[in-house]
Amino acid sequence: MSYFFFAHRGKMEFEKVKQILNTESEKKFTDQEIIEIMQMLEVFADVWVNNLLMSIKNEKCNSLC
């Protein structure tokens, strides 16, 4: 799963996230922890976008009914 994630998102983005998370942090995140954080945030973003699209669709339907 990690290989797919790197191939999909890219090493450069991973390095940026790693730098942000580990800046001024006493305990550094491992590569696997960073991958899991990024995957979790991607799921949250997908849910948020889907909910937004559904609310827009419902608003249009309600105004036409």
Side-chain angles (χ1 to χ4, degrees):
M1 187 169 203
S2 297
Y3 175 76
F4 173 76
F5 185 76
F6 279 122
H8 179 67
R9 284 301 206 181
K11 182 77 172 157
M12 182 178 267
E13 184 173 322
F14 172 81
E15 291 300 327
K16 288 180 185 179
V17 172
K18 185 175 182 176
Q19 181 182 10
I20 291 168
L21 287 174
N22 287 332
T23 299
E24 297 182 26
S25 179
E26 229 174 85
K27 185 179 177 206
K28 305 298 183 194
F29 289 94
T30 65
D31 288 356
Q32 185 59 39
E33 289 171 328
I34 293 170
I35 290 168
E36 290 173 11
I37 291 168
M38 292 174 73
Q39 289 171 335
M40 184 177 62
L41 291 173
E42 188 170 338
V43 169
F44 288 149
D46 289 344
V47 169
W48 182 77
V49 168
N50 286 334
N51 286 338
L52 181 63
L53 292 173
M54 289 301 292
S55 69
I56 291 171
K57 179 181 173 186
N58 289 337
E59 286 175 12
K60 287 181 180 179
C61 179
N62 289 338
S63 65
L64 295 176
C65 295

